[in-house]
Amino acid sequence: MTTAFQPRDPMIHEPSCRSFQNIMETVGRRWTSAILLAGQRGARRFGEYRLSVPGISDRLLAQRLKELEAEGLMVRTVIPTTPVQVRYELSPDGEELMRLLQPLVEWGHRRATAAAS
C-alpha cells in the first residue's frame, strides 16, 4: 500500500517560510557566501575582500557589501582619516549566520569527499 505525501501543515507561505526563503536567497546569491567567509576570516578593508574573493569585480563586491549591510549581516564603519578609511565586518547576526552555516559546509565537504571516492 502506497501512501501519498501528506504535509503536516499545508501552509508553505507562512512568515517563517518566507524568512527562511529570504535568507537562503541572500546567502545563495553569487559571491555572497565567499564575502561572508572572508569577513569571518578577518578581511576588513575593501582590498582585503577583493583579494580574498578572487574573480569578483570591484563593482559587484561593492554591491554585495551594500546588500549585506542592508540585510544587517555586515557593519560598515567610516574612519575619518586622510584618506578616509572604510571597514566592513560581520555584524553579530552575520557572525551567528556563519556559525549556523558551518554544519552545512561540513555536510558539503563530506558529500564531495564521498563523490570523489
Side-chain angles (χ1 to χ4, degrees):
M1 180 172 135
T2 304
T3 58
F5 172 72
Q6 296 292 321
R8 291 179 219 180
D9 183 358
M11 294 297 297
I12 61 170
H13 294 294
E14 64 185 72
S16 63
C17 287
R18 281 192 298 268
S19 65
F20 175 74
Q21 182 176 352
N22 289 342
I23 195 62
M24 292 305 293
E25 287 174 359
T26 297
V27 172
R29 207 170 288 133
R30 186 162 189 207
W31 304 109
T32 299
S33 58
I35 294 167
L36 290 169
L37 184 59
Q40 185 182 41
R41 291 183 175 173
R44 295 294 174 260
R45 311 261 327 249
F46 188 88
E48 293 170 344
Y49 281 94
R50 189 179 37 211
L51 289 173
S52 297
V53 185
I56 193 169
S57 69
D58 288 356
R59 182 191 63 76
L60 193 52
L61 176 57
Q63 179 182 337
R64 290 292 184 261
L65 287 168
K66 284 180 186 176
E67 291 168 359
L68 290 168
E69 182 184 8
E71 289 286 336
L73 299 174
M74 299 285 288
V75 175
R76 179 179 185 262
T77 305
V78 177
I79 302 165
T81 58
T82 304
V84 172
Q85 292 184 36
V86 180
R87 297 191 183 268
Y88 301 89
E89 58 187 307
L90 294 179
S91 69
D93 281 348
E95 291 281 357
E96 181 181 16
L97 174 62
M98 293 305 288
R99 281 192 305 277
L100 293 170
L101 288 175
Q102 190 57 41
L104 182 60
V105 170
E106 292 167 4
W107 177 79
H109 283 298
R110 285 193 307 272
R111 285 182 48 92
T113 302
S117 300

